[in-house]
Amino acid sequence: RNNPSLPACFAQFAMSCPLPPAKRQKKSTPKLPVTVLSGFLGSGKTTLLKKILTEAHGKKIAVVVNDMAEINIDANLVQKGHFKQVEEKLVEMTNGCICCTLREDLIKEVADLAKQQQFDHVVIESTGISEPMQVAEAFSVDLEEDKYGLSRLSDVAELDTLVTVVDTQNFNNFIKSKDDLSTVFKDVPKEDERSISHLLVDQIECANVILLNKKDQVSKEKMAEVESIVKHLNSDAKLYQTTYSVVPIEKIIGTGLYDEEKVKVKSHIQMNKSALL
């Protein structure tokens, strides 16, 4: 039926001329999700990485580490082709600390992995002295002269989860310590004046997921005390009590828990705290 409000000749013309086909929207390539793993030396972070690399979870995961020698994966696993079976990839960072000096290397490595379009997820191991925020900033920093074909890393990759592994056995000593980081960690820059307590608090406050590890080595009362302090520092994070860092992989990968706006607020609060110290 013709629309009575339109002239007859226009209505006839409209019916005889089909609409042009709708333009097909080009499918955008999904961004590569990234989990950042933080924790003090001895917390169980490396144990967790080994599990990610060797368990047959069916996911294609690339793991970016600072030192492959520290991971110390059994050579027999490589010879038997276990890595090919679960399709993980180990990428080594070469310049030491994953924070300031490694930001450019980190961007390059993750960008390369994203462009390959072969992986479901990337796990980045931060060093014991790095804060999750320092790694997160690598995703939003503007790249000079469109390096690596990107304006910023977030064009091809996105933060999914910030995970912190906590050593519950030594937690009280660390959280109360005013000693400089250099008393516990090697290769700490001279200009780094943070205390052990300062770093631990930062790693906890910015995390989306916190593993309270070494459950088998502390009493129920001690675990409850640590959990209470951690909840006070970060009420938003998901907490899991673990032994040997055993946790279902879906609790640390593909969670979608990272919230950039919340992290910005926490980062601002941390800067104000540092200014008062």
Side-chain angles (χ1 to χ4, degrees):
R1 293 174 60 184
N2 293 338
N3 189 332
S5 63
L6 296 176
C9 60
F10 182 85
Q12 184 178 0
F13 175 77
M15 287 191 299
S16 62
C17 295
L19 293 173
K23 290 184 179 180
R24 290 184 179 180
Q25 291 186 344
K26 190 176 180 181
K27 289 185 178 180
S28 59
T29 303
K31 293 182 180 181
L32 182 63
V34 177
T35 289
V36 177
L37 187 58
S38 301
F40 279 18
L41 182 67
S43 64
K45 183 177 58 173
T46 300
T47 301
L48 180 56
L49 279 175
K50 284 184 180 181
K51 293 183 184 301
I52 292 171
L53 282 166
T54 57
E55 287 186 355
H57 42 62
K59 296 181 182 294
K60 299 177 183 178
I61 301 174
V63 176
V64 180
V65 300
N66 291 291
D67 187 355
M68 288 188 185
E70 288 185 6
I71 304 296
N72 192 26
I73 296 295
D74 189 346
N76 290 328
L77 291 176
V78 180
Q79 291 172 2
K80 291 177 182 177
H82 285 206
F83 293 116
K84 291 181 181 178
Q85 180 182 344
V86 295
E87 298 180 278
E88 276 99 3
K89 180 174 181 178
L90 202 62
V91 180
E92 184 174 16
M93 308 299 281
T94 57
N95 292 349
C97 177
I98 204 169
C99 45
C100 305
T101 59
L102 257 190
R103 182 174 294 170
E104 186 168 337
D105 281 356
L106 174 64
I107 291 170
K108 179 182 182 302
E109 293 293 355
V110 176
D112 287 346
L113 290 168
K115 289 176 181 178
Q116 290 176 34
Q117 297 183 29
Q118 295 179 3
F119 299 99
D120 301 321
H121 208 95
V122 171
V123 176
I124 297 173
E125 175 213 22
S126 66
T127 62
I129 64 170
S130 68
E131 301 167 12
M133 271 306 302
Q134 294 173 320
V135 183
E137 286 170 359
F139 285 76
S140 57
V141 66
D142 292 325
L143 304 179
E144 295 179 6
E145 301 177 358
D146 202 29
K147 273 191 175 182
Y148 319 117
L150 306 170
S151 58
R152 54 179 57 188
L153 184 56
S154 58
D155 292 346
V156 294
E158 61 183 1
L159 280 169
D160 175 74
T161 318
L162 300 181
V163 179
T164 293
V165 184
V166 171
D167 179 353
T168 56
Q169 188 179 28
N170 295 297
F171 181 83
N172 285 346
N173 292 333
F174 289 150
I175 201 70
K176 296 174 183 177
S177 177
K178 301 300 180 184
D179 292 340
D180 293 339
L181 292 177
S182 57
T183 61
V184 174
F185 298 99
K186 296 184 295 183
D187 303 321
V188 177
K190 290 182 179 179
E191 62 273 14
D192 193 336
E193 299 178 349
R194 291 174 299 168
S195 68
I196 294 170
S197 175
H198 180 167
L199 176 59
L200 179 57
V201 169
D202 284 347
Q203 289 185 349
I204 290 172
E205 286 184 336
C206 284
N208 307 124
V209 173
I210 300 171
L211 304 187
L212 302 177
N213 199 34
K214 302 187 180 180
K215 177 183 177 182
D216 60 319
Q217 299 181 34
V218 298
S219 64
K220 290 183 179 180
E221 293 76 18
K222 174 72 174 292
M223 178 60 80
E225 179 187 352
V226 173
E227 187 171 34
S228 176
I229 295 171
V230 170
K231 282 182 177 179
H232 177 73
L233 292 171
N234 187 343
S235 59
D236 296 327
K238 303 287 186 182
L239 270 57
Y240 301 103
Q241 297 180 12
T242 60
T243 299
Y244 295 111
S245 301
V246 174
V247 64
I249 197 164
E250 64 269 17
K251 302 298 184 183
I252 59 173
I253 285 175
T255 70
L257 290 172
Y258 179 77
D259 187 322
E260 186 176 0
E261 292 306 313
K262 283 186 177 180
V263 169
K264 282 180 180 178
V265 171
K266 289 182 178 180
S267 178
H268 180 70
I269 292 172
Q270 284 182 358
M271 288 175 64
N272 290 338
K273 282 182 181 177
S274 298
L276 293 173
L277 293 176

